[in-house]
Amino acid sequence: MELLMSVLIGLMFAASVYLILSKSLLRIIIGTAILSHGVNLLVLTVGGLKRGNVPILGLKGVTGYNDPLPQALILTAIVISFGVTAFFLVLAYRAYQELDSESISKTRGHEADDE
Amino acid sequence: MSLLHIVILLPFLVALLIPLTSRWTKKIHTGWLVLPVPIVLFIYFLTYIPKTMAGVSKETWAWIPSFQINFTVVVDGLSLLFALLITGIGALVTFYSIFYLEKNKERLNNFYAFLMIFMTAMLGVVLSDNLIVLYLFWELTSISSFLLIGYWYHRERSRYGARKSMMVTVFGGLMMLGGFIILHIMTDSFSIRAIIANGAAIVENQLFVPAMILILLGAFTKSAQVPFHIWLPDAMEAPTPVSAYLHSATMVKAGIYIVARFTPLFAVSGVWFWTVSLVGAATLLWGSVNATKKTDLKAILAYSTISQLGLIMTLLGVGAASLHFDNLNDTIYVAAIFAAVFHLFNHATFKGSLFMVVGIIDHETGTRDIRRLGGLMRIMPITATIAFIGTFAMAGLPPFNGFLSKEMFFESMIDVSHLNLFHAETWGVLLPVVAWISGVFTFVYSMMIFFKTFSGKLKPYLLPKKPHEAPIGLLLPPIILAAFVVLIGIMPNMINKSLLVPAVKSILPKLANDFSIHVSMWHGITPALLMTIGVIIVGLLLYKTHKYWKSWIVTHITQKLQLEKAYDYSIFYLEQGSYRTTMWIMTGWLRTYLNYILGAFIILTMGTMIAASAFNFDLVTLTSVSAVDFVLAAVILVTLIGIVFSKSRVTSIILLGTLGYTISIFFVIARAPDLALTQLVIETISVVLYLLAFYHLPQFSNIEEKPKLLSAKTLISIGVGITMTLLTLVAYDTSFYESISEYYIANAYKEAAGKNIVNVILVDFRGFDTLFETAVLAIASIGIFAMVKLRLTKREDKDENK
């Protein structure tokens, strides 16, 4: 399972980097979303997969539990990346309004245009 | 803190007070208010003469004792000689500048503030015993010299000269600091006297030669030795009192001081002997040859200063040989050190007076060009007399003091060719030859200065002003200096016992107490005298034929070895190179920087893993894979491919949603119900947000190029993917130690009264994370609100920048 997961993680990182390196703002934001998915899976995988049961006490006949700490960390990460993604989306919307383009080329500073 | 410290810092304090005197300086020249300072200091240092004849005086003022950095002042013969030169010529130059600079036209407060700062710096350099304090004052001389050269900052040449001198001397200063720190590493002390006392122990150290070379670089740049002499001719853009003071008598001798001061430490080495004497000899020759081709009086004097500094440096280098003999009193090479100190003093007197004379000529005729000058002898008889004394002393003619030190120089050069040390018996014969040739050229340019200016026909139509004799205020300081030139010429042993011998003793501490030397004007027909006669005969011939060979020198020697051009080109190409490099690296494209960052990530991570041979995958502890896992993995793969290659944004957004939901199913399989729940909700909201933005954003435009397999973008994304896969595999190894989660599982209910362990961790065990994660959401929402609502930057002239 971990082997499969690590290949998947690598694929997600590759896809996200490819998208982040493109010129369209929306594709860049989609890239960052995939990147955060990849990181969440990475934390889950190195924390150990399928080693126990759902980490909720008091269920009948349940003893060994899965590690709850990575789950808590990922939960925090999901919420933060959601906040950042929402912010980025509105930023892209505003940038498009101001610059009339969603191409990253237009966001280059004016100073360098002088040459 | 002692009186000596106050004396050193007094000019600096006066510089601080100068702005407060503006009420009085409206009526009176600022120079009169400043003039008492160098006079008082000069008299104060005169009282040290009896003390230094007996021994040294030492005062310590703790500055940073924990780092052994203390403001320790030591007065010995060498320091006192320099201190007297600095304060004495400082007083004369201040007096001269009162008449030279006009009260209403110049910014006098600046001038005297810079001059006083320089005086403190110079006194600090020659009197400090602590290396770091010495370096501090050393840089202060560079800075105040920079300010003084650029005094007329509205002139382009002044700014160029100031910048050049700053570059060269600060380069040397930093090298010297490196040498000082190496000395500290070797000896664990910052005190020059302590290091010299410990000298025998560090000779064998492998850092000995690097320290020596670095310190010599500092000394050579400051004292304008070849090839670092290039800044001195350009420093002539400074006002003439500054040129007389800094660039002939004091600052350029700071390097000489350093070489003399460290002679007892480094001179045991043959590297020192050869470096110092050969660089000095090269400077001597190069300066004297170049001086003959110049037409500006100050430029001739600048190259003459370079040449004479080379002469003193050569003598110090040759004198280093004396340290190899046990009984110093009988060693002929001690005479070289004595000649160096003697010429140091003589040069300060005649060169100071010559600069002042040139200032007078400039002031009274409006030009310094020898092609326009001539026949001034009848109009300016006093100036002509002073110039006669100065130039003839510089040429080394009797009965002036330059003759005596020149004779001693020739004698030492002849002696060193017999030296049976450092292979000097083979190459040492070069030194007297170089000395004689440069003696000839020195004679030629000295005669040029005097005869082309004062004899011949007056050319009034070429002069901007109607020439007349200078006021007494301008004449008095050069008269005093010229009087020294004559007096020491007639009574050469006048200052031996009181000043020069103590200075020699501080350069050669091993010297016996009863050491004395006797200089006489006539000492029989010696080889040195014959050399002088040869200099006069050949010099006269060359002077008469000057106009025939001058162009030959220019085309065949100086144009082929253009060190000034080399400096200019190297500065130009350094600026161009760094500009181009910056333009090449900093493209302004986000993608370029991401490529750098990700490329560095791949190389560093992979490199570290390879270097640590980290690829020991623990395949035993892998958990099983079920059919569902494969199906989910296949779905993720398909959505990823779809997103990457999609041409439409709605497809991308829907596929991104699919990916998020698939991952939430993964969370279900991984037994993380809270994660699955949150992921589902968040993914839904995210997709809604993307669709909202979709409504406002355009279609993916045609800006996307076709995916190419071999583009940097593809390679880097594949590289990052592979790196992350390997990193996950390497990191996945549970065999190191147990997770701390056992504690959470055991105590979630007992301590925190909760059964959902993940939630208990979020709000009880690690509640702070949750607090600030809430803060992140709050900030994001406020930020979004602000971005949508605020329109402060929308200006009418927006299009101007496009």
Side-chain angles (χ1 to χ4, degrees):
Chain A
M1 181 76 184
E2 283 80 3
L3 206 59
L4 181 71
M5 288 300 279
S6 48
V7 172
L8 266 186
I9 290 163
L11 284 171
M12 288 170 86
F13 269 91
S16 69
V17 166
Y18 187 85
L19 288 170
I20 287 172
L21 287 174
S22 62
K23 284 179 186 162
S24 151
L25 272 178
L26 190 60
R27 282 170 80 94
I28 291 174
I29 295 170
I30 292 173
T32 57
I34 298 176
L35 190 71
S36 63
H37 286 319
V39 171
N40 290 344
L41 283 190
L42 175 66
V43 175
L44 197 70
T45 308
V46 294
L49 288 163
K50 294 188 187 174
R51 294 192 180 275
N53 287 302
V54 177
I56 292 176
L57 299 171
L59 296 177
K60 271 205 180 113
V62 171
T63 47
Y65 296 103
N66 225 352
D67 196 338
L69 193 55
Q71 296 189 15
L73 297 180
I74 293 167
L75 200 56
T76 311
I78 290 174
V79 175
I80 289 176
S81 74
F82 166 70
V84 175
T85 305
F87 187 86
F88 276 173
L89 269 174
V90 178
L91 189 65
Y93 158 67
R94 291 285 297 120
Y96 174 61
Q97 272 193 334
E98 294 290 324
L99 301 169
D100 290 328
S101 164
E102 64 125 28
S103 165
I104 191 88
S105 326
K106 291 285 194 263
T107 59
R108 199 168 171 221
H110 292 297
E111 219 175 312
D113 293 342
D114 296 341
E115 43 164 334
Chain B
M1 188 160 179
S2 69
L3 191 58
L4 213 49
H5 293 107
I6 298 170
V7 161
I8 291 177
L9 295 177
L10 181 68
F12 192 80
L13 298 175
V14 170
L16 291 181
L17 293 177
I18 283 175
L20 301 178
T21 62
S22 55
R23 188 193 292 175
W24 298 289
T25 49
K26 285 204 177 72
K27 293 181 195 127
I28 188 172
H29 198 287
T30 318
W32 291 114
L33 300 174
V34 169
L35 185 61
V37 177
I39 294 177
V40 166
L41 296 192
F42 182 70
I43 293 167
Y44 175 78
F45 280 115
L46 282 179
T47 64
Y48 267 88
I49 290 178
K51 291 185 205 167
T52 49
M53 284 165 73
V56 298
S57 324
K58 184 174 171 182
E59 300 284 352
T60 301
W61 177 19
W63 180 25
I64 316 174
S66 52
F67 287 119
Q68 303 178 21
I69 297 173
N70 293 313
F71 190 0
T72 307
V73 179
V74 175
V75 188
D76 62 4
L78 188 65
S79 304
L80 185 66
L81 176 66
F82 271 93
L84 286 172
L85 283 179
I86 292 159
T87 50
I89 297 182
L92 295 176
V93 161
T94 311
F95 186 81
Y96 180 82
S97 66
I98 293 171
F99 294 91
Y100 188 82
L101 296 172
E102 285 186 40
K103 191 167 115 50
N104 299 321
K105 286 185 188 163
E106 306 284 354
R107 294 161 297 114
L108 291 173
N109 284 5
N110 292 20
F111 180 81
Y112 287 105
F114 299 159
L115 201 69
M116 287 297 110
I117 293 172
F118 172 77
M119 199 176 284
T120 281
M122 209 52 218
L123 285 174
V125 165
V126 298
L127 292 167
S128 295
D129 181 53
N130 191 286
L131 289 175
I132 297 298
V133 177
L134 193 158
Y135 173 72
L136 179 87
F137 285 117
W138 183 274
E139 291 300 0
L140 198 57
T141 64
S142 295
I143 292 167
S144 47
S145 164
F146 170 79
L147 291 170
L148 284 166
I149 296 169
Y151 176 65
W152 287 312
Y153 56 76
H154 47 85
R155 295 185 189 166
E156 208 273 329
R157 294 291 308 167
S158 293
R159 297 199 301 271
Y160 173 78
R163 211 163 51 227
K164 192 172 182 179
S165 73
M166 185 77 162
M167 290 288 284
V168 176
T169 53
V170 168
F171 161 76
L174 284 173
M175 295 296 120
M176 201 174 77
L177 178 64
F180 287 172
I181 289 169
I182 294 177
L183 275 185
H184 178 68
I185 292 169
M186 288 194 290
T187 60
D188 200 30
S189 167
F190 276 127
S191 160
I192 298 175
R193 271 79 184 174
I195 290 171
I196 288 172
N198 203 7
I202 64 168
V203 174
E204 298 300 317
N205 198 310
Q206 55 183 357
L207 288 174
F208 179 80
V209 171
M212 176 203 296
I213 297 296
L214 288 174
I215 290 175
L216 277 182
L217 269 178
F220 288 165
T221 49
K222 200 72 156 186
S223 280
Q225 301 293 300
V226 166
F228 306 112
H229 66 282
I230 48 171
W231 66 268
L232 190 60
D234 285 306
M236 292 299 130
E237 296 299 323
T240 304
V242 172
S243 309
Y245 187 35
L246 273 69
H247 307 125
S248 74
T250 54
M251 190 183 86
V252 287
K253 294 198 171 115
I256 303 275
Y257 170 79
I258 290 292
V259 170
R261 179 55 81 208
F262 283 98
T263 292
L265 182 67
F266 290 125
V268 287
S269 153
V271 181
W272 173 277
F273 173 86
W274 280 118
T275 316
V276 176
S277 39
L278 286 186
V279 169
T283 312
L284 168 65
L285 187 62
W286 186 246
S288 62
V289 170
N290 268 288
T292 57
K293 69 165 191 184
K294 294 286 169 189
T295 53
D296 178 12
L297 283 173
K298 266 180 115 174
I300 301 177
L301 287 181
Y303 275 106
S304 144
T305 303
I306 292 169
S307 154
Q308 303 277 311
L309 291 169
L311 187 153
I312 301 171
M313 202 61 97
T314 317
L315 281 171
L316 284 175
V318 167
S322 60
L323 280 188
H324 288 268
F325 299 92
D326 287 333
N327 190 357
L328 278 178
N329 282 15
D330 303 332
T331 312
I332 43 177
Y333 305 107
V334 175
I337 297 280
F338 179 84
V341 173
F342 192 32
H343 196 72
L344 174 84
F345 182 85
N346 293 342
H347 177 250
T349 55
F350 65 69
K351 193 52 70 64
S353 72
L354 280 178
F355 266 106
M356 291 177 185
V357 162
V358 170
I360 290 170
I361 294 167
D362 194 10
H363 208 257
E364 304 306 333
T365 66
T367 182
R368 302 188 308 243
D369 194 327
I370 52 172
R371 288 168 300 188
R372 304 163 95 183
L373 293 165
L376 291 174
M377 206 182 297
R378 268 153 294 168
I379 299 166
M380 308 166 91
I382 306 173
T383 316
T385 313
I386 303 165
F388 175 79
I389 296 170
T391 47
F392 277 61
M394 185 157 74
L397 296 175
F400 305 116
N401 60 6
F403 171 69
L404 304 164
S405 40
K406 180 70 75 74
E407 288 291 285
M408 298 180 79
F409 170 60
F410 282 160
E411 260 171 49
S412 304
M413 289 303 117
I414 295 166
D415 287 341
V416 79
S417 55
H418 307 310
L419 179 66
N420 196 13
L421 199 68
F422 310 130
H423 312 290
E425 64 273 24
T426 45
W427 292 101
V429 72
L430 271 178
L431 286 172
V433 173
V434 167
W436 186 80
I437 296 172
S438 43
V440 170
F441 282 106
T442 306
F443 181 88
V444 172
Y445 70 70
S446 301
M447 294 304 111
M448 270 167 59
I449 293 177
F450 182 74
F451 287 107
K452 300 231 164 166
T453 314
F454 292 101
S455 70
K457 247 188 279 171
L458 188 65
K459 293 167 241 177
Y461 47 94
L462 283 175
L463 300 178
K465 288 186 193 171
K466 194 176 180 312
H468 55 80
E469 183 59 280
I472 185 69
L474 280 179
L475 287 171
L476 195 59
I479 287 175
I480 293 173
L481 287 173
F484 267 102
V485 175
V486 178
L487 271 178
I488 290 168
I490 298 165
M491 295 185 285
N493 297 303
M494 186 172 70
I495 52 167
N496 268 5
K497 200 161 169 252
S498 50
L499 273 181
L500 302 184
V501 170
V504 173
K505 273 185 193 158
S506 38
I507 300 174
L508 301 171
K510 282 200 284 178
L511 215 55
N513 267 333
D514 57 345
F515 172 81
S516 68
I517 199 156
H518 187 77
V519 190
S520 55
M521 186 66 84
W522 175 255
H523 38 77
I525 310 274
T526 57
L529 189 67
L530 294 175
M531 277 170 84
T532 305
I533 292 167
V535 162
I536 295 170
I537 294 167
V538 179
L540 274 176
L541 277 174
L542 281 181
Y543 174 69
K544 286 287 171 202
T545 56
H546 177 241
K547 61 182 174 209
Y548 303 109
W549 53 265
K550 185 186 154 192
S551 59
W552 187 88
I553 290 247
V554 171
T555 47
H556 286 85
I557 299 174
T558 53
Q559 260 181 8
K560 287 192 177 150
L561 274 167
Q562 284 178 326
L563 295 163
E564 281 82 359
K565 279 252 171 74
Y567 167 84
D568 288 340
Y569 278 127
S570 58
I571 293 288
F572 176 77
Y573 284 116
L574 273 175
E575 280 178 0
Q576 278 291 307
S578 46
Y579 176 76
R580 290 211 184 121
T581 314
T582 311
M583 291 317 281
W584 180 58
I585 296 174
M586 310 302 280
T587 57
W589 302 110
L590 188 63
R591 299 173 66 175
T592 322
Y593 307 139
L594 279 173
N595 282 342
Y596 298 154
I597 294 169
L598 295 169
F601 163 75
I602 296 169
I603 292 165
L604 291 179
T605 315
M606 291 295 260
T608 312
M609 286 199 286
I610 290 166
S613 48
F615 301 110
N616 305 317
F617 304 128
D618 183 11
L619 296 175
V620 186
T621 57
L622 290 182
T623 45
S624 61
V625 188
S626 65
V628 186
D629 300 334
F630 274 118
V631 172
L632 289 177
V635 172
I636 288 183
L637 185 64
V638 170
T639 52
L640 286 178
I641 292 170
I643 294 171
V644 167
F645 293 102
S646 158
K647 289 266 179 278
S648 120
R649 51 198 177 134
V650 74
T651 324
S652 303
I653 292 169
I654 289 169
L655 284 173
L656 184 66
T658 317
L659 179 70
Y661 290 137
T662 320
I663 284 170
S664 68
I665 299 172
F666 248 120
F667 287 150
V668 171
I669 294 174
R671 283 148 203 167
D674 300 290
L675 285 187
L677 201 63
T678 318
Q679 180 69 38
L680 272 175
V681 175
I682 295 264
E683 201 55 44
T684 313
I685 303 173
S686 295
V687 169
V688 170
L689 269 177
Y690 278 107
L691 288 174
L692 272 177
F694 162 88
Y695 179 76
H696 293 283
L697 291 175
Q699 197 54 259
F700 286 153
S701 39
N702 299 330
I703 50 178
E704 286 307 315
E705 66 270 39
K706 285 252 157 68
K708 272 185 291 181
L709 194 61
L710 273 175
S711 67
K713 187 173 153 182
T714 327
L715 287 177
I716 283 189
S717 40
I718 291 170
V720 169
I722 292 172
T723 311
M724 287 314 295
T725 301
L726 291 173
L727 199 63
T728 316
L729 284 173
V730 169
Y732 168 72
D733 187 351
T734 50
S735 61
F736 289 115
Y737 38 76
E738 283 300 305
S739 164
I740 57 164
S741 296
E742 292 310 316
Y743 171 83
Y744 294 136
I745 293 166
N747 291 295
Y749 190 70
K750 209 160 54 182
E751 300 282 340
K755 291 185 177 173
N756 185 332
I757 306 172
V758 174
N759 287 5
V760 167
I761 289 175
L762 281 173
V763 297
D764 286 305
F765 291 125
R766 299 176 58 93
F768 270 121
D769 289 358
T770 316
L771 175 65
F772 291 110
E773 158 198 343
T774 320
V776 167
L777 274 189
I779 291 167
S781 44
I782 294 170
I784 289 167
F785 181 78
M787 262 198 300
V788 173
K789 285 287 172 192
L790 293 184
R791 290 288 187 277
L792 292 178
T793 53
K794 203 151 197 172
R795 293 191 308 254
E796 287 307 310
D797 58 349
K798 200 183 102 186
D799 285 338
E800 191 187 61
N801 288 333
K802 280 202 169 173

